[in-house]
Amino acid sequence: MNLVVLTGAGISAESGISTFRAADGLWENHRIEDVASPEGFMRDPALVHHFYNLRRAQLHEVVPNKAHQALAALERAWRGRGAFLLVTQNVDDLHERAGSRALRHMHGELRRLLCTACGETGPWHDDAGVDTPCPDCGAEAMRPDIVWFGEIPHHMDEIMEALGQADLFCAIGTSGVVYPAAGFAAQARRNGRNCVLYEINPTPTGGRYFDHVIAAPASEGVPELLCRLGVGADS
Ligand code: NAD
Ligand code: ZN
């Protein structure tokens, strides 16, 4: 029984991190195109660094919630049952802090920077700016290691492979509007393995692919999913 879980900003909402499009296309009062596009970064790199510095600093103030913890328990309980992959669109680090290991950040990570001169990426826990030198090549050409609109998400080959082999797929806290992640349910549905699809969202997206919808916040919905899969949350 191979399981693929996709998470979005909703799973971190109960930890106190705002979601993205929730109301009006703004992310923490900024227009998405200003802070989450290569063009926005070219226009005003200092503003974009400042925006991600604030998001990075917030990670010191938040902790994983019951949903992150239950997913880490699910991964542990799944050993011996089949393959497990957790794909997140989130750029926070709450899944790994809760203990998830088979985790892929398809949209990058707040706690990493990318050098636009030499292409190296590395961990980064402090503020960064336009004059931050690259630890590898020294160029003052660092940017957040975040996948912006128009850029290709990370780990797509591995994710597509896992979706092709999935018997169970669950989308948690994602609005289903940002591609390619928005197409993952359809991808799993088409894989010829009669994949069973779950959605967990207090405001379900109404995606026609889902067989089971748990209309609840993630902190309740993910423990409920574990029950339905016959897995104890204390695994
Ligand atoms: P989104 O903001 O577009 O959608 C959030 C979804 O979460 C909505 O469908 C909403 O109904 C649902 N939701 C709200 N509260 C919830 C709860 N308690 N439990 C479960 N679901 C809940 O998010 P998205 O689909 O992930 O797409 C936005 C993009 O924004 C992502 O690519 C991501 O990189 C970026 N982002 C990341 C973070 C983060 O890392 N925590 C935060 C904001 C935005
Ligand atoms: Zn460099």
Side-chain angles (χ1 to χ4, degrees), residues 8-10 12-14 17-21 27 89-92 107 173-176 178 201-203 217-218:
S12 295
E14 290 166 89
I17 302 181
S18 307
T19 58
F20 203 175
R21 296 177 172 269
W27 186 2
Q89 299 167 85
N90 293 345
V91 295
D92 66 53
H107 290 165
T174 177
S175 57
V178 180
N201 197 315
T203 315

Side-chain angles (χ1 to χ4, degrees), residues 114-120 133-142:
L114 163 67
C115 175
T116 60
C118 74
E120 285 296 324
C134 170
D136 289 281
C137 74
E140 294 176 355
M142 305 305 281

Side-chain angles (χ1 to χ4, degrees), residues 61-155:
E61 282 143 34
V62 296
V63 292
N65 65 50
K66 281 186 185 160
H68 299 102
Q69 286 157 0
L71 281 182
L74 178 59
E75 177 181 346
R76 289 192 292 275
W78 212 255
R79 283 184 198 130
R81 290 201 196 196
F84 178 95
L85 187 66
L86 171 55
V87 179
T88 188
Q89 299 167 85
N90 293 345
V91 295
D92 66 53
D93 60 356
L94 296 180
H95 281 307
E96 46 271 56
R97 281 160 59 191
S100 287
R101 293 295 171 262
L103 167 69
R104 298 294 174 267
H105 279 277
M106 61 179 291
H107 290 165
E109 298 172 53
L110 284 171
R111 285 188 154 162
R112 293 184 78 82
L113 293 186
L114 163 67
C115 175
T116 60
C118 74
E120 285 296 324
T121 73
W124 199 268
H125 295 274
D126 307 315
D127 285 353
V130 287
D131 51 4
T132 300
C134 170
D136 289 281
C137 74
E140 294 176 355
M142 305 305 281
R143 58 166 270 186
D145 189 9
I146 304 284
V147 177
W148 288 325
F149 284 97
E151 298 182 322
I152 299 169
H154 299 323
H155 310 293

